[in-house]
Amino acid sequence: MKKTVLAIAAGAAVAATAPAAADYPNRPIQMIIPFGVGGATDISGRALSAALGKIVPQPIVVTNRTGAGGATGSVVVRDADGDGYTLLYARVGTHTTNPALNPNLPYTVDEFRFIGVYEINPVACVVNSNSDIHTIEDLIEEVKANPGFVSFSSAGVGSMPHFAGLMVLSVFGIDDVDEDVIHIPTEGDGAALTAVLQGTSDFYCGSTSPAAPFVASGQMRPLLVTTPEAVPGFDAPTSADLNMPELEVMVGWTGIAGPASLPDDIAGMWGEWLAEAVQDAEFLRIMEAGGSQVRLMDPEESVRFVNTAADAFATMARELGITLVD
Amino acid sequence: MSFFDAFVQGFALVAQWESLAFLALGIAIGVVAGAIPGMSATMAVALTLPFTFAMQPITGILLLLGVYKGGIFGGSIPAILIKTPGTPASSATALDGYPMAEQGKAGKALSMALYASCIADFVSNLALILVAGWLAAFALNFGPPEFFTLIVFSLTIIAGVSGDSLLKGAVAALFGLLLATVGMDFIGGTNRFTFGSPDMMAGLNFIAVLIGLFALPEIFSHIRNPKEREGNVRKLGDSHLTREEFRGSLKSILRGSAIGVFMGSIPGIGAAPSAFLSYSEARRASPNRENFGKGEIEGVAAAEAGNNGVAGATLIPLLSLGIPGDVITAIIIGAFMIHGLTPGPLLFTNHADLVYALFIGLIASSVLLLFIGWFAVRGFRYVADIPSNLLFPSVLVLCIFGVFAINNSIFDVGVMLVMGLLGYAMLLLKFPAAPFLIAFILGPLLEDKFRQSMLMSRGELDIFVRGPITIIFWCLTVISVVLIVRSTMAAARIRRQQRRTSMPPRTGTNG
Amino acid sequence: MLARRDEIIVGIVILCFGVLLLTVLIPNYVEVPRRVRLLALAPYFWPNIIGALLVLCGGLLAVRAYFTPPTPPEQTESLAISQPEALRLAGTLLLLVATLFALPRLGMVWTTMITFVAMVLLTGGKRLVWAIVVAVLLPLVLYIFFYKIAGVAIPQGRFVRLP
């Protein structure tokens, strides 16, 4: 018995001293997905981790830590050592919309250091195909005619669809969005779309990928997409068609972040690994099947991108008066 | 493509040895994974998912479905043997399965669980194939108000699992409802009872709660009085089920299957309410009502049937509407998408061969489950032979690893330990654990659906009687409450009479 | 069944908890969003209902126990606890708190090995050799299963890491 224990102890690395970046990585790297298994972040994160696993010299352990719209998992990474062994799959919800809507979150965006945003999700607004609403103008007229009667569903308070629904309406001239439309939070994107299908809510603005099957089958009708380019499968005006460039800030994204104390050289190594990983054929296939656009930003660009988006959304939330608490 | 062509092509897809082999492999993985406490069917499916990316669509999806079905049955094994249900649904199985194991009838309980599972699974698959279209249309009518009334009705089953005192059952349920409010508020997004902890914001994980509530009190009882069971090590017992036992439970199995099909076809309910509803209906209808909760084999049968009856039916909204009914089907949707298949109405038109292949594979899975489960029952029942002073520490270690693995959280392990203490206090003070658990599972649904309905109607209460479904559930609730009141009053009368006849009234020393 | 006096105490404790919930816990620990459309949508709506029902049920329990004739002693389950039993339970409580504290620091595998043996010793220490064998093997097998096969990052602790 003693022998086994000794053998294991001898074979094990002693991790009492903090590892220098020179020999990074010398043990498995934990990558935390702050959402549940099977969700969009999970599929995307696991696909990238599989590709990274072929490049990074140490194994990558993917871990789901769900709860509170991604806040619980985010806090775990914020509190981790900045040694590059604990990283987060951050998403538009955890690091843009939720911090903007909820000033009481237990973390802020600048407590993280981004090392790569790799995925962009266009956003679309959809309604039930049985609905009288055929264009975004119809929707706006409906809201203006019956303030406080039109509702939209989202994947929960602080999620991207929550923000997107309010923001799109405000861009099209609804002044008091908080008063004039009703937000119905649901358990996730699937449930939010089900609500539209059932007539529980009138519309949904969110990532195109979960909505794509319903649009393809004719159960739902797209009203607009927020990108300037058209999205395959979505026969709807783009932000360019509508001449509304302010919509373009509303896109989903996924990226990798560590705690703020993550050193430059480790961030640089990740920049190189990611550049290689996003070329992986299997990864690209999965992303394409899910309807996301792969676009890798290097560490500096990622930090800029996330900070700009976070600031813009926070300002918008304050101006629209849609923050949860004062 | 005609129905017949599609059917033949589908049959050709399944009849390859690899399809069947992967289905069987999936079931075996599921049964073993389900048998490990804390390793739920959900986790097993999630872990298998990446392996299916490289496979043919049909083999990959059959593998996942196999893991799903196997996992749901597998969860009954630890529930019966060590009172450590791996899923909320199998906690209903533990109510009678564990007392049976303590009486040396573990083998019988496991066999009954297996037969009930296979039959319910089969019924559920048949329902999927035959009435999917009709049930899917029904599911689409199930908005928040319908949901709310269904949950109100489901809460009346608390009375069936309250044991001696309805009032104590109600108190236990209230505590369950209260604990379910911990965390970030679903509608408002603010925190409730989190005391500043980011871990609490996520709410209390229900598997941690249920393992703490069921398994740990047994460990504390053992430590308090280790000699109790020492001389009387639980025997394996015969795993053979007599024809009478089977026939006696058959009605409950079929009723449970029907309940499972109904509950499974509605997205978002899950297997636990179904298992408990089936259990309480069986208890209500049974002549051995008194024996429920003390080792009644029909209780095991009803719970497992209700649990497994959901498994095929959750695919109804998935395949016909593209709506995942629970976490597992949400993962399976991912598998479809990876292969470029989109569940929903178009699937039947564009990939009819695949749909029929799935149907045939599902029917095959019920039969395969029977064989694989048979071996599992024979293998796992030896757990009952382990001496208790080694068994209980092993259960604790299993629970620690398993609960941690659910969400990679040591906080969850802490939740489990605290819930264990609460569960032990409840055991000592004669508060039943099952109402607590049911309320804890249904509580968030009750509150969220109520508030979603209020949002929809801008505060008008008449939304709760907006259609025939809501009215049916209100009627069922009223009937249920009347029956509860009548049976409680009858029981109280009998107790009073017994007291009067057995004992002359005396002035108590502790009054 | 419990003794009548015990039932009354339980009822009163529940009643008091309900009052505590309504007066202290809900006002102080339920955050309220900036604007609430309706009372029924407020986050304190359900907790208040639960609190009120707890007060009601606790009161009913106490009142019912008070008016029930005392349970005959042979049907009464005493809550009294003998000294060795109390010591063992207190020991378990300490052991569990220590386990929880040690899990992230010492690592899950080493901690559960020690907890296992401690628990066997606490219950009399029979079959000690077997206990040690199982105590070493079970956490290792679980570690291999969860870490190597299921890919779960089992806590490794700060001292000795497993491969």
Side-chain angles (χ1 to χ4, degrees):
Chain A
M1 205 58 50
K2 245 181 196 165
K3 258 183 200 163
T4 358
V5 177
L6 281 177
I8 290 163
V14 179
T17 51
D23 60 348
Y24 177 84
N26 64 5
R27 58 186 165 97
I29 297 164
Q30 191 179 13
M31 300 189 75
I32 293 182
I33 296 175
F35 297 98
V37 283
T41 321
D42 185 63
I43 290 178
S44 159
R46 282 181 190 271
L48 184 64
S49 295
L52 282 166
K54 300 173 194 163
I55 300 157
V56 180
Q58 285 283 337
I60 288 179
V61 185
V62 183
T63 295
N64 296 84
R65 187 72 194 267
T66 60
T72 310
S74 301
V75 167
V76 170
V77 174
R78 181 200 63 189
D79 295 341
D81 295 331
D83 53 9
Y85 290 102
T86 314
L87 299 171
L88 177 75
Y89 276 105
R91 203 166 166 88
V92 57
T94 57
H95 283 74
T96 317
T97 58
N98 208 3
L101 288 170
N102 189 355
N104 278 0
L105 271 193
Y107 62 88
T108 58
V109 178
D110 38 283
E111 287 172 321
F112 295 85
R113 166 157 194 170
F114 276 82
I115 53 182
V117 170
Y118 65 89
E119 177 191 1
I120 297 287
N121 309 91
V123 169
C125 292
V126 294
V127 293
N128 195 315
S129 14
N130 301 331
S131 143
D132 294 334
I133 297 164
H134 290 260
T135 62
I136 184 73
E137 288 80 17
D138 292 353
L139 179 65
I140 300 299
E141 264 168 45
E142 179 71 30
V143 175
K144 282 186 174 157
N146 299 306
F149 274 77
V150 176
S151 62
F152 71 104
S153 44
S154 80
V157 174
S159 66
M160 191 259 273
H162 178 191
F163 204 110
L166 294 172
M167 183 237 176
V168 167
L169 289 190
S170 81
V171 166
F172 280 91
I174 305 292
D175 293 327
D176 191 357
V177 276
D178 204 23
E179 182 69 42
D180 293 348
V181 283
I182 292 175
H183 168 225
I184 301 183
T186 68
E187 293 80 2
D189 284 305
L193 286 158
T194 306
V196 173
L197 212 55
Q198 287 176 328
T200 298
S201 73
D202 297 310
F203 72 103
Y204 163 89
C205 292
S207 290
T208 48
S209 28
F214 296 102
V215 172
S217 65
Q219 290 160 290
M220 289 187 191
R221 182 187 306 133
L223 297 183
L224 63 83
V225 292
T226 62
T227 46
E229 314 86 34
V231 176
F234 283 74
D235 182 19
T238 64
S239 64
D241 298 338
L242 293 163
N243 202 16
M244 290 278 182
E246 52 270 58
L247 285 174
E248 284 159 28
V249 60
M250 192 74 251
V251 289
W253 53 267
T254 315
I256 297 175
S261 55
L262 195 74
D264 291 341
D265 42 0
I266 291 181
M269 288 163 96
W270 273 90
E272 286 162 33
W273 290 334
L274 281 171
E276 201 180 332
V278 295
Q279 309 289 327
D280 185 82
E282 180 69 12
F283 168 72
L284 289 170
R285 192 175 72 79
I286 292 171
M287 300 305 280
E288 196 187 336
S292 333
Q293 300 169 357
V294 176
R295 212 194 114 209
L296 181 69
M297 305 179 194
D298 63 34
E300 290 77 43
E301 193 191 350
S302 304
V303 172
R304 245 191 340 267
F305 172 82
V306 174
N307 285 341
T308 315
D311 287 345
F313 280 70
T315 315
M316 225 178 325
R318 271 195 307 275
E319 282 171 1
L320 296 176
I322 53 174
T323 52
L324 298 178
V325 287
D326 285 320
Chain B
M1 192 158 22
S2 75
F3 164 80
F4 188 73
D5 288 343
F7 185 83
V8 169
Q9 285 183 16
F11 191 77
L13 275 174
V14 175
Q16 295 158 0
W17 71 267
E18 53 202 82
S19 299
L20 286 175
F22 275 111
L23 186 60
L25 177 71
I27 293 173
I29 293 172
V31 170
V32 173
I36 299 169
M39 182 80 192
S40 62
T42 316
M43 270 182 75
V45 173
L47 292 171
T48 319
L49 179 66
F51 296 100
T52 64
F53 291 165
M55 293 181 186
Q56 292 291 317
I58 183 68
T59 37
I61 291 166
L62 285 177
L63 175 69
L64 287 178
L65 288 174
V67 175
Y68 176 24
K69 305 241 161 184
I72 287 188
F73 162 69
S76 68
I77 296 174
I80 289 169
L81 291 174
I82 53 178
K83 205 177 178 181
T84 308
T87 56
S90 41
S91 48
T93 312
L95 293 180
D96 277 293
Y98 185 70
M100 281 186 75
E102 293 219 295
Q103 294 157 16
K105 292 191 268 185
K108 243 187 216 315
L110 286 171
S111 298
M112 183 46 108
L114 176 65
Y115 297 142
S117 296
C118 289
I119 295 173
D121 190 46
F122 185 74
V123 171
S124 194
N125 292 335
L126 271 187
L128 166 67
I129 296 169
L130 299 176
V131 292
W134 182 78
L135 275 173
F138 176 74
L140 211 46
N141 287 322
F142 231 83
E146 286 77 17
F147 234 113
F148 175 76
T149 50
L150 168 65
I151 301 297
V152 170
F153 167 63
S154 300
L155 280 175
T156 63
I157 62 183
I158 283 175
V161 288
S162 283
D164 297 332
S165 163
L166 193 58
L167 201 51
K168 284 192 161 180
V171 170
L174 284 171
F175 275 99
L177 288 174
L178 183 65
L179 276 191
T181 64
V182 171
M184 203 173 99
D185 175 25
F186 184 73
I187 301 288
T190 51
N191 293 332
R192 295 195 288 193
F193 307 121
T194 60
F195 306 103
S197 148
D199 284 310
M200 298 275 273
M201 272 179 78
L204 305 176
N205 182 292
F206 60 70
I207 297 189
V209 169
L210 81 93
I211 289 185
L213 212 55
F214 277 78
L216 260 51
E218 295 297 320
I219 298 176
F220 293 138
S221 300
H222 163 74
I223 292 175
R224 177 175 174 184
N225 198 352
K227 291 199 181 73
E228 207 170 327
R229 288 185 200 123
E230 206 68 72
N232 152 40
V233 174
R234 297 182 296 163
K235 284 179 221 65
L236 274 184
D238 194 0
S239 65
H240 185 72
L241 212 57
T242 64
R243 190 167 300 187
E244 285 68 42
E245 285 168 325
F246 181 72
R247 201 176 296 152
S249 301
L250 190 60
K251 221 169 99 188
S252 285
I253 294 177
L254 293 178
R255 192 193 304 111
S257 312
I259 291 173
V261 168
F262 173 73
M263 302 281 252
S265 64
I266 300 164
I269 295 187
S274 165
F276 276 108
L277 188 60
S278 166
Y279 178 85
S280 83
E281 286 302 313
R283 176 180 174 275
R284 182 140 70 198
S286 166
N288 307 334
R289 193 177 307 167
E290 289 302 307
N291 199 29
F292 271 70
K294 296 172 188 140
E296 170 63 43
I297 196 159
E298 198 179 341
V300 176
E304 271 303 295
N307 182 359
N308 281 267
V310 170
T314 46
L315 297 173
I316 293 174
L318 176 80
L319 291 177
S320 54
L321 299 170
I323 299 172
D326 56 12
V327 188
I328 298 183
T329 39
I331 301 171
I332 293 177
I333 260 197
F336 273 94
M337 305 283 254
I338 294 296
H339 290 293
L341 303 164
T342 312
L346 287 182
L347 191 67
F348 286 81
T349 356
N350 296 349
H351 300 278
D353 53 339
L354 189 92
V355 173
Y356 285 101
L358 268 184
F359 286 170
I360 299 162
L362 282 170
I363 294 290
S365 76
S366 305
V367 181
L368 284 171
L369 177 61
L370 190 63
F371 283 104
I372 294 167
W374 190 86
F375 285 105
V377 167
R378 265 139 202 83
F380 277 104
R381 65 195 180 117
Y382 291 102
V383 170
D385 257 356
I386 300 171
S388 52
N389 84 323
L390 298 185
L391 179 68
F392 285 108
S394 307
V395 171
L396 181 69
V397 172
L398 271 170
C399 291
I400 290 177
F401 272 85
V403 166
F404 174 83
I406 301 161
N407 202 13
N408 299 286
S409 163
I410 288 182
F411 176 78
D412 284 353
V413 179
V415 169
M416 173 186 83
L417 297 178
V418 172
M419 290 312 295
L421 294 177
L422 180 69
Y424 189 55
M426 285 169 64
L427 187 77
L428 291 180
L429 299 175
K430 305 274 162 203
F431 282 95
F436 180 99
L437 189 69
I438 294 173
F440 184 77
I441 294 167
L442 297 182
L445 278 174
L446 184 78
E447 181 178 6
D448 296 346
K449 297 299 166 191
F450 175 79
R451 290 159 86 192
Q452 284 177 339
S453 308
M454 287 284 97
L455 278 170
M456 285 170 71
S457 72
R458 291 165 303 278
E460 301 297 326
L461 283 170
D462 59 3
I463 193 167
F464 294 116
V465 289
R466 72 169 180 178
I469 301 177
T470 53
I471 291 167
I472 288 171
F473 282 124
W474 286 122
C475 293
L476 286 174
T477 309
V478 171
I479 294 170
S480 200
V481 169
V482 169
L483 288 176
I484 292 163
V485 170
R486 269 177 48 184
S487 68
T488 318
M489 286 178 29
R493 200 161 45 236
I494 290 166
R495 219 175 302 152
R496 265 201 303 278
Q497 270 163 5
Q498 276 175 346
R499 214 177 263 135
R500 223 171 283 140
T501 48
S502 69
M503 297 268 325
R506 43 180 258 181
T507 42
T509 45
N510 49 8
Chain C
M1 259 179 273
L2 301 179
R4 189 169 84 170
R5 192 182 55 115
D6 294 338
E7 287 279 3
I8 295 176
I9 294 173
V10 167
I12 291 173
V13 169
I14 288 168
L15 189 145
C16 292
F17 178 79
V19 172
L20 180 79
L21 184 69
L22 289 174
T23 55
V24 179
L25 292 176
I26 295 175
N28 288 313
Y29 295 103
V30 174
E31 294 169 17
V32 186
R34 193 166 48 85
R35 54 167 299 190
V36 175
R37 274 176 201 272
L38 302 162
L39 173 69
L41 293 173
Y44 47 77
F45 181 70
W46 281 103
N48 272 324
I49 293 178
I50 296 168
L53 287 174
L54 273 178
V55 171
L56 181 75
C57 287
L60 278 176
L61 263 182
V63 170
R64 191 185 65 173
Y66 183 78
F67 285 107
T68 318
T71 336
E74 62 269 23
Q75 285 177 29
T76 308
E77 270 181 49
S78 169
L79 287 177
I81 182 165
S82 74
Q83 204 184 357
E85 288 177 348
L87 278 177
R88 272 200 297 272
L89 282 182
T92 315
L93 195 61
L94 269 178
L95 178 65
L96 292 181
V97 172
T99 302
L100 196 61
F101 180 79
L103 278 177
R105 292 167 179 83
L106 199 57
M108 190 170 271
V109 174
W110 311 121
T111 308
T112 48
M113 285 181 183
I114 296 167
T115 306
F116 192 108
V117 176
M119 201 172 219
V120 173
L121 290 175
L122 209 60
T123 53
K126 277 189 192 168
R127 307 185 189 87
L128 197 58
V129 179
W130 269 109
I132 292 171
V133 172
V134 180
V136 172
L137 288 183
L138 182 68
L140 281 179
V141 169
L142 286 174
Y143 167 77
I144 291 168
F145 175 79
F146 277 111
Y147 184 63
K148 298 288 176 189
I149 300 175
V152 173
I154 295 295
Q156 290 274 23
R158 298 184 186 278
F159 304 105
V160 184
R161 297 184 64 88
L162 290 164

